[in-house]
Amino acid sequence: MSTSVVTPSDVAALVEAVQRADSALGLLQATQALAASSHPDGATCLVEVLGFNNPGAAVAAVDGLIAIGVPAVDTILTNIDGYNYGARAWAVRALAGIGDVRGLAVLEDALGKDIGPSVRRAAARGLGQLRLDQLPPPQRRATAERCLQALVEGCRDGEWVVRYAVVVGLESLAPAVHPELAEGPSAQQRLHEALIGLCRNPAEEAPVVQLRAALALQRLGVPHG
């Protein structure tokens, strides 16, 4: 469905189907139907599904929230359950997929502190893909700096899948990072140095991380031989 043909009453019926589901399969199917509507009115229910013990339904809910996009962000942020790890982990994935800057603090916290490598991986990718282009220049620079700092710290993550995602995040962030004049190293220089460090790290256990960093540097036109 698309929002142009889905009415509020349609969404209400889809939400009711989710709430009345009496089996794991029924919940999955009802969530998939609600997610397919991509209607903002379904966001609250989809966020609630993130807290259920049903990974399939949670994946569908995340997809639905990402499809709703920016209108879902406030609902996600105001309903993140700090006592339900699973729900918070799914919320991080949704915020990373939407790319709204209001999710910055959650993504920073997830990359730096979350116990789940898959959640930290999603946060790293999300930090590189925040939509900064519509921000005023001073706010854009400040936000890019926060993303960069979090990703640089993520280079030391103990899981290679997270370090790989950090490389992807750094490469994605590069267009928003400019070689501004500063007393210390510029943001651009620090981003390049982070990638070079990942590329050359002799202790790296996963060669794919080094190869991905080398590819990022090549794409950015940065010598690293």
Side-chain angles (χ1 to χ4, degrees):
M1 298 183 190
S2 67
T3 55
S4 61
V5 297
V6 178
T7 67
S9 60
D10 292 332
V11 179
L14 293 169
V15 167
E16 182 180 0
V18 171
Q19 295 170 339
R20 294 179 59 181
D22 57 4
S23 68
L25 178 59
L27 176 62
L28 170 60
Q29 293 173 335
T31 302
Q32 288 173 330
L34 176 60
S37 74
S38 303
H39 198 289
D41 287 357
T44 299
C45 182
L46 291 173
V47 170
E48 291 175 358
V49 172
L50 301 181
F52 299 165
N53 187 24
N54 187 318
V59 169
V62 168
D63 290 343
L65 290 167
I66 292 173
I68 294 170
V70 172
V73 173
D74 279 339
T75 302
I76 298 171
L77 292 175
T78 55
N79 290 281
I80 287 181
D81 187 346
Y83 297 98
N84 184 327
Y85 170 75
R88 183 176 177 82
W90 291 115
V92 169
R93 291 179 172 90
L95 290 170
I98 294 171
D100 190 279
V101 295
R102 288 171 292 172
L104 172 59
V106 173
L107 297 178
E108 285 176 313
D109 186 70
L111 178 55
K113 301 177 183 178
D114 200 278
I115 61 173
S118 63
V119 179
R120 300 198 303 276
R121 176 180 61 187
R125 289 177 176 270
L127 285 165
Q129 297 172 350
L130 290 182
R131 299 172 182 173
L132 307 179
D133 52 329
Q134 296 183 353
L135 296 176
Q139 186 180 354
R140 188 186 315 148
R141 287 192 294 270
T143 304
E145 173 63 32
R146 285 177 61 179
C147 293
L148 175 60
Q149 183 60 36
L151 288 167
V152 168
E153 293 173 3
C155 292
R156 301 191 296 271
D157 194 283
E159 297 287 342
W160 75 264
V161 293
V162 180
R163 296 193 298 276
Y164 187 99
V166 166
V167 172
V168 175
L170 287 168
E171 182 183 356
S172 299
L173 182 64
V177 174
H178 303 287
E180 73 283 359
L181 295 176
E183 294 182 3
S186 71
Q188 186 183 70
Q189 181 180 345
R190 286 184 288 125
L191 186 149
H192 293 169
E193 288 175 349
L195 286 172
I196 291 171
L198 289 166
C199 178
R200 296 179 178 175
N201 182 11
E204 176 55 63
E205 63 185 31
V208 67
V209 175
Q210 296 172 313
L211 292 171
R212 185 62 181 83
L215 176 61
L217 289 163
Q218 178 182 343
R219 288 173 170 171
L220 296 174
V222 180
H224 57 280

